[in-house]
Amino acid sequence: MPASAPLLLISNDDGIQAPGILSLIEVARQFGEVAVVAPDSAQSGMGHAISVGKPLRIFREQLPGGLTGYAVNGTPADCVKIATGVILDRRPDLILSGINHGSNASVSSIYSGTLSAAREGALQGIPAIGFSLCNYQHDADMHTAQEVATKLIAEALAQPLGPGQLLNVNVPDVHGDAFKGIRLTRQAVGRWVEEFDERTDPYGRKYYWLTGRFALMDEGEDTDEYALRQGYASVTPMMSDLTDYAHKTALADWDLSL
Ligand code: MN
């Protein structure tokens, strides 16, 4: 690669050896220099957690194609922090996270470690894209997701995303003619209805597995969930400013004087 080749930093939340990240690396290598810094173990559902009470360690990891990556014993957000703060000698042009094994559409974007790796980049002013496939299986077919990633990385480099701009990309688990294309979407309103599977351990004590089911509470046809259900990949621009501006305006009538 010429010295001017863009630097693409790749992370994920399923661990550095997950098939999804290997699929994303394969795609990204066509576009520039690739650096891989990812958790050494599964970190799904970690959201934007960071490690404040334990030391972080960096391990070299041999990846397919002769690439050396870096595994970190931390969260996805830790990985991006330590990548830009310690490992890399220049600033990445784009941060890619995924391809996650499982959807991160709608409110799942809040819990997602995949998206938080990308969001950490965005918080540092680096454009970032999180990719997720709507299939949790380890051996899921990544071809449609790779096609979408190829298109979006090309577009993100040709018409560069602005500093700190973040895209949440979800890909339906459909292939061939059943895959309809890519749509710009908004985050659907929905929530996880928690369900706890109660079991008993060998000592007679109860323990619980968090499962839950997703309840869509949005009939819009411009949402990520709608697009995915129609066979389209969804591209949702996201921001980290969590201020509820309409609510702030509504609260102007509150008497906050002491
Ligand atoms: Mn995951």
Side-chain angles (χ1 to χ4, degrees):
M1 287 289 169
S4 60
L7 176 59
L8 309 175
L9 170 61
I10 301 186
S11 195
N12 76 342
D13 75 358
D14 296 321
I16 196 164
Q17 291 289 358
I21 195 171
L22 301 180
S23 301
L24 185 54
I25 292 166
E26 197 177 295
V27 169
R29 292 185 88 172
Q30 305 167 58
F31 293 98
E33 186 188 339
V34 167
V36 181
V37 183
D40 65 353
S41 62
Q43 298 285 319
S44 293
M46 293 298 282
H48 211 103
I50 52 172
S51 298
V52 291
K54 70 164 194 180
L56 292 176
R57 296 182 193 278
I58 301 167
F59 307 91
R60 283 178 188 275
E61 183 94 8
Q62 273 319 118
L63 297 169
L67 192 68
T68 302
Y70 299 89
V72 176
N73 63 329
T75 66
D78 288 333
C79 288
V80 172
K81 283 180 183 290
I82 209 164
T84 57
V86 176
I87 298 172
L88 301 178
D89 53 15
R90 65 178 169 122
R91 190 174 163 85
D93 297 283
L94 185 62
I95 294 188
L96 307 171
S97 183
I99 298 166
N100 188 58
H101 293 254
S103 170
N104 279 316
S106 184
V107 75
S108 294
S109 59
I110 298 285
Y111 303 103
S112 168
T114 302
L115 212 58
S116 286
R119 186 178 292 113
E120 179 57 35
L123 290 174
Q124 294 182 25
I126 303 165
I129 311 177
F131 294 97
S132 305
L133 173 67
C134 298
N135 184 330
Y136 290 94
Q137 301 299 319
H138 186 79
D139 60 353
D141 185 339
M142 291 282 165
H143 286 99
T144 302
Q146 283 186 305
E147 183 185 348
V148 171
T150 303
K151 177 67 182 175
L152 290 174
I153 295 168
E155 204 62 23
L157 293 173
Q159 305 192 60
L161 296 171
Q165 287 186 335
L166 170 64
L167 299 179
N168 180 18
V169 177
N170 286 274
V171 180
D173 186 31
V174 295
H175 305 276
D177 290 345
F179 175 55
K180 300 283 174 46
I182 304 172
R183 278 193 176 167
L184 263 182
T185 53
R186 66 174 172 86
Q187 181 181 323
V189 178
R191 65 184 172 92
W192 283 90
V193 180
E194 314 305 345
E195 286 168 4
F196 288 92
D197 191 350
E198 182 182 289
R199 302 185 192 181
T200 305
D201 75 13
Y203 306 99
R205 294 173 302 211
K206 285 177 178 162
Y207 67 96
Y208 300 86
W209 277 108
L210 173 59
T211 56
R213 74 190 156 74
F214 178 70
L216 178 62
M217 301 151 78
D218 193 324
E219 294 181 352
E221 297 190 354
D222 56 347
T223 70
D224 47 8
E225 287 291 341
Y226 185 86
L228 291 164
R229 288 165 195 213
Q230 302 295 316
Y232 291 89
S234 63
V235 177
T236 305
M238 303 205 118
M239 48 199 260
S240 302
D241 178 351
L242 300 181
T243 311
D244 182 339
Y245 289 95
H247 196 187
K248 181 167 176 279
T249 301
L251 288 180
D253 292 342
W254 275 30
D255 179 4
L256 298 177
S257 58
L258 293 172

